[in-house]
Amino acid sequence: MAMARRSASHLLSSFRPFSLLLQPHIADAPSPAAAAAAASARRAMSSASVMRARDEKDAARWRESMDRMRNIGISAHIDSGKTTLTERVLYYTGRIHEIHEVRGRDGVGAKMDSMDLEREKGITIQSAATYCTWKGYQVNIIDTPGHVDFTIEVERALRVLDGAILVLCSVGGVQSQSITVDRQMRRYEIPRVAFINKLDRMGADPWKVLNQARSKLRHHNAAVQVPIGLEEEFDGLVDLVELKAFKFEGSSGQNVTTSDIPSNMQELVMEKRRELIEVVSEVDDQLAEAFLNDEPIEANQLKAAIRRATVARKFIPVYMGSAFKNKGVQPLLDGVLDYLPCPMEVENYALDQNKSEEKVLLAGTPAEPLVALAFKLEEGRFGQLTYLRIYDGVIRKVPRLVRMHSNEMEDIQEAHAGQIVAVFGVDCASGDTFTDGTVKYTMTSMNVPEPVMSLAVSPISKDSGGQFSKALNRFQKEDPTFRVGLDPESGQVDAKVGKPRVNFRETITHRAEFDYLHKKQSGGQGQYGRVCGGSLIGHPVENIRIVLTDGASHQVDSSELAFKLASIYAFRQCYVAAKPVILEPVMKVELKFPTEFQGTVTGDMNKRKGIIVGNEQEDDDTVIVCHVPLNNMFGYATAIRSVTQGKGEFTMEYLEHNTVSQDVQMQLVNSYKATKGTE
């Protein structure tokens, strides 16, 4: 398409001056040569105008296609109902024709949980992509895990999405993984809507959850709906923008009926609508002007203001419902179309490798050169399956191009900017950038924290070493959190697993002087040097400053190697005098468990040398925040489930490296010396 525009422009610029010379003279008839040239010029101009019109028509078609596209993720704390919500979305949009429950008691299970283990355990383990159509819009959806063990799947999904639905439980409220997921959405600057689910459950309180989102997640939010009844009496919703009541009828809630607001809810509805207008007015100048002038706020005016504020990430509209009871899903889908951005409304940047990684704002249109990011790999039935988010341009002419519907796929001939697709037959790693060769851009990859522990694995037999290396490289290509430096291939071997190894660090606590002379005479050319690892336990030394105050060189015997060796021996000489200490990774751990287990959980944390920095009550639950050495947290997932009868949960993230106690340092040093002695 870009080539067509250039050709048309070239033809016009070439022939426009010539056409002025061919204006017919009244008295003279044109010569045959001039007539032929004029005809040729007219054909070229006609061809150029046709190509320009085609370009404009294509551009308009692309714009309409992009305007009617949404790329969203559904994320939440575990067991908040996001996979159930996705199942209803697929049903109401016609992508599936029967609703199946998450745990797969009927032998089928939820569509997006295609792994046998997911259906057995009733949890989502890997992110799954699908697409559907709602009111003429194409909605690409990625359903993500809620369990903390699979948080990198959420990370890789959010990296390539334009908007998201944050699902919150109306009973559990803002839980530990809700905070983690919201932090990930904030990191990637994802506009989002919130959906307070399970309003049919005993103890449902959406207003408590909404306020928790304001205090714990720092959301600038307001409800766009009010529930008609709660718990067993939950019967529908009132839309605060349109001022209409919705009820969901039929065997699966597929028939949405509208009616007037119940008379006993008029006062509450007007109060909540005024609150919605006030909150949006705080971040939208146009609505604020009308609000301050006490003008009546029309539905279209309020809807436009909510969209502007949501796309700008200044406001989060809050929807409500019960996915399991088939209530509230269709209005939420409308909210995705109304308030979440299309691909062209989101700013995406690439790094230009030809200009020292200068940031380049991508246009987000199919007319530009191809730029796409491989964000997920799977080993499929037909080889490596690579998931792509296309940011610019069009992709075609690959061995096989498909659109994913969970574990099913549909072959397509091409895909353009804004779409999420998958390809077979392309060898790459997760995080690689694809272009058409006309630009040398790379996309920033997802946020992957540095590992704070490592695991020792080795093949059982020497004969399986080659396959073992291939297997490790397959893991590395698919999983950005897996670090190993071998050539990529595939394979599978048996392995024995060693004890996890914590990534300690070392530093010094005192200043130490050094003055070391490295002097070695040898006959003739050549020098031999052997350098062995030193320090306390063989881990990297950091947070030190070395000041050179003087030195000396010899005009014949000095060399780069001599000074390197002098530096190494000088460091060894003064390191012990600088009173070194060992640093260990300390984790920020948040625990949530029924209050009845508080004494047991707190006692166990004290044994692990945890320092409690926060403690609060949430109804019948206790939430504790503490700082704990990572070395003392191995196996804690099993421990907390054991001491809380399976009702406790926790999240853990790296906080800092801190000095270990003297007794632990002695143990580590003695263990290191014993290990070195046996080698």
Side-chain angles (χ1 to χ4, degrees):
M1 192 183 302
M3 286 297 294
R5 278 199 296 274
R6 285 197 293 272
S7 300
S9 174
H10 172 71
L11 289 169
L12 283 171
S13 62
S14 300
F15 285 105
R16 191 175 291 113
F18 185 51
S19 67
L20 295 175
L21 299 175
L22 296 175
Q23 296 298 323
H25 193 276
I26 296 176
D28 301 323
S31 66
S40 176
R42 284 194 298 272
R43 284 195 299 272
M45 292 179 67
S46 174
S47 174
S49 62
V50 167
M51 293 172 74
R52 185 168 61 249
R54 188 183 303 155
D55 284 351
E56 291 173 355
K57 184 178 180 180
D58 284 344
R61 180 167 58 86
W62 289 126
R63 274 195 301 273
E64 183 180 3
S65 172
M66 300 284 279
D67 285 339
R68 291 184 166 272
M69 184 182 297
R70 300 290 184 270
N71 293 314
I72 66 167
I74 302 179
S75 301
H77 182 89
I78 190 171
D79 202 29
S80 294
K82 61 196 168 307
T83 301
T84 302
L85 173 61
T86 308
E87 188 82 355
R88 269 54 177 184
V89 167
L90 296 177
Y91 177 74
Y92 296 134
T93 57
R95 288 296 289 137
I96 59 175
H97 303 292
E98 291 181 329
I99 293 175
H100 297 283
E101 299 312 324
V102 169
R103 291 194 179 273
R105 296 186 183 95
D106 55 2
V108 180
K111 178 64 183 177
M112 302 304 286
D113 285 347
S114 57
M115 293 174 60
D116 292 339
L117 190 60
E118 289 178 317
R119 293 179 177 180
E120 176 190 337
K121 301 295 184 182
I123 61 172
T124 303
I125 294 175
Q126 63 177 0
S127 56
T130 187
Y131 63 94
C132 59
T133 302
W134 181 251
K135 297 185 176 179
Y137 285 71
Q138 181 182 325
V139 183
N140 298 313
I141 303 172
I142 297 183
D143 177 34
T144 63
H147 199 288
V148 67
D149 290 350
F150 314 112
T151 189
I152 196 63
E153 287 291 307
V154 182
E155 194 85 29
R156 76 162 94 221
L158 292 177
R159 168 63 185 85
V160 298
L161 295 174
D162 303 321
I165 300 172
L166 176 64
V167 182
L168 301 170
C169 176
S170 64
V171 180
V174 175
Q175 298 163 283
S176 53
Q177 195 66 7
S178 309
I179 298 173
T180 302
V181 167
D182 186 74
R183 186 185 302 118
Q184 291 171 311
M185 292 180 180
R186 198 182 301 273
R187 178 184 299 133
Y188 295 111
E189 300 181 338
I190 303 287
R192 50 205 181 277
V193 300
F195 180 68
I196 299 178
N197 195 20
K198 301 188 178 183
L199 292 190
D200 62 301
R201 291 271 299 275
M202 186 70 69
D205 187 349
W207 307 114
K208 177 199 73 174
V209 179
L210 189 147
N211 287 321
Q212 282 183 346
R214 289 175 177 172
S215 60
K216 291 187 174 184
L217 305 178
R218 304 189 308 281
H219 281 185
H220 188 76
N221 66 6
V224 293
Q225 296 173 328
V226 172
I228 302 174
L230 285 173
E231 300 177 347
E232 292 181 354
E233 298 178 357
F234 176 51
D235 195 37
L237 297 159
V238 174
D239 187 296
L240 296 178
V241 178
E242 302 283 352
L243 291 177
K244 294 178 181 176
F246 294 111
K247 292 198 175 181
F248 307 89
E249 300 173 350
S251 58
S252 301
Q254 66 270 33
N255 301 322
V256 183
T257 61
T258 59
S259 61
D260 294 332
I261 301 169
S263 56
N264 63 338
M265 294 185 64
Q266 288 282 351
E267 185 177 343
L268 174 64
V269 167
M270 297 316 295
E271 175 194 333
K272 292 298 182 183
R273 190 175 199 266
R274 182 175 180 82
E275 179 184 329
L276 171 64
I277 293 171
E278 285 180 357
V279 173
V280 178
S281 295
E282 292 175 12
V283 292
D284 186 81
D285 293 339
Q286 294 183 40
L287 188 66
E289 185 177 352
F291 177 66
L292 293 174
N293 293 332
D294 209 22
E295 298 174 5
I297 307 296
E298 301 296 331
N300 290 340
Q301 188 180 2
L302 179 54
K303 185 178 289 186
I306 294 173
R307 179 174 180 78
R308 287 191 299 269
T310 305
V311 170
R313 304 187 310 279
K314 296 178 180 178
F315 176 73
I316 297 176
V318 179
Y319 286 80
M320 303 181 184
S322 169
F324 183 70
K325 294 294 185 180
N326 309 310
K327 294 175 181 177
V329 178
Q330 296 95 324
L332 176 63
L333 273 170
D334 292 339
V336 168
L337 309 186
D338 291 339
Y339 303 134
L340 292 183
C342 73
M344 292 190 299
E345 293 176 295
V346 178
E347 292 185 349
N348 290 299
Y349 291 89
L351 304 178
D352 191 341
Q353 299 301 314
N354 290 330
K355 296 182 179 179
S356 303
E357 296 197 344
E358 178 183 312
K359 286 182 70 174
V360 179
L361 178 62
L362 299 178
T365 68
E368 301 297 319
L370 173 67
V371 179
L373 176 68
F375 68 95
K376 178 180 169 72
L377 305 184
E378 282 182 12
E379 191 64 29
R381 298 189 300 273
F382 307 103
Q384 179 176 304
L385 180 65
T386 304
Y387 286 79
L388 292 179
R389 162 66 198 266
I390 308 173
Y391 289 96
D392 266 351
V394 179
I395 187 171
R396 56 173 73 91
K397 294 182 181 177
V398 292
R400 189 181 180 191
L401 185 66
V402 298
R403 286 197 297 180
M404 299 302 299
H405 178 44
S406 186
N407 61 336
E408 298 175 7
M409 55 193 72
E410 173 194 343
D411 287 284
I412 55 178
Q413 298 304 310
E414 67 175 35
H416 60 76
Q419 291 188 315
I420 295 173
V421 294
V423 296
F424 282 106
V426 177
D427 185 29
C428 68
S430 181
D432 284 354
T433 298
F434 289 76
T435 71
D436 60 5
T438 61
V439 293
K440 198 173 181 181
Y441 292 166
T442 57
M443 302 295 296
T444 56
S445 190
M446 69 205 75
N447 176 71
V448 181
E450 285 299 315
V452 291
M453 70 176 187
S454 57
L455 193 68
V457 293
S458 59
I460 288 178
S461 65
K462 293 182 179 180
D463 296 338
S464 60
Q467 291 178 309
F468 187 73
S469 296
K470 293 177 183 179
L472 292 180
N473 279 282
R474 166 55 58 189
F475 297 152
Q476 186 188 23
K477 288 178 67 177
E478 294 185 4
D479 186 353
T481 65
F482 190 86
R483 307 292 175 87
V484 65
L486 299 171
D487 293 332
E489 277 299 334
S490 61
Q492 190 175 28
V493 295
D494 292 328
K496 56 183 180 181
V497 179
K499 181 183 177 181
R501 177 174 179 264
V502 173
N503 285 351
F504 293 101
R505 295 289 184 268
E506 299 178 26
T507 192
I508 59 175
T509 57
H510 287 72
R511 174 175 172 166
E513 301 288 341
F514 63 91
D515 183 355
Y516 183 85
L517 172 63
H518 172 71
K519 186 176 180 181
K520 181 178 180 182
Q521 299 292 334
S522 60
Q525 182 71 28
Q527 187 172 8
Y528 173 81
R530 181 184 179 188
V531 180
C532 300
S535 71
L536 288 177
I537 57 172
H539 283 266
V541 179
E542 57 184 29
N543 296 329
I544 64 171
R545 185 167 71 103
I546 298 174
V547 180
L548 294 178
T549 58
D550 202 353
S553 64
H554 190 277
Q555 61 182 1
V556 176
D557 293 337
S558 289
S559 65
E560 181 184 2
L561 177 60
F563 278 104
K564 281 184 177 178
L565 291 172
S567 301
I568 292 170
Y569 292 128
F571 176 80
R572 289 184 183 176
Q573 184 186 66
C574 67
Y575 187 60
V576 176
K579 297 188 177 179
V581 293
I582 298 171
L583 305 175
E584 65 180 340
V586 176
M587 312 302 287
K588 179 183 177 182
V589 180
E590 181 176 306
L591 307 105
K592 185 174 183 179
F593 49 87
T595 302
E596 60 185 292
F597 303 109
Q598 184 169 358
T600 310
V601 173
T602 304
D604 184 64
M605 264 297 123
N606 290 333
K607 289 180 183 177
R608 297 172 186 270
K609 299 185 178 178
I611 300 173
I612 297 175
V613 296
N615 190 336
E616 63 179 64
Q617 294 294 125
E618 288 186 5
D619 298 329
D620 296 330
D621 289 335
T622 295
V623 178
I624 290 178
V625 179
C626 48
H627 299 164
V628 195
L630 174 64
N631 207 32
N632 300 336
M633 285 298 292
F634 294 117
Y636 189 65
T638 302
I640 191 173
R641 289 167 187 161
S642 174
V643 299
T644 63
Q645 299 176 7
K647 299 174 184 176
E649 57 194 33
F650 77 103
T651 59
M652 181 172 68
E653 62 178 283
Y654 170 75
L655 179 67
E656 61 183 351
H657 269 76
N658 211 341
T659 309
V660 302
S661 60
Q662 194 62 36
D663 61 319
V664 172
Q665 179 159 323
M666 288 301 298
Q667 290 175 11
L668 292 171
V669 170
N670 292 335
S671 175
Y672 176 71
K673 288 179 178 178
T675 303
K676 296 296 288 184
T678 59
E679 291 180 356

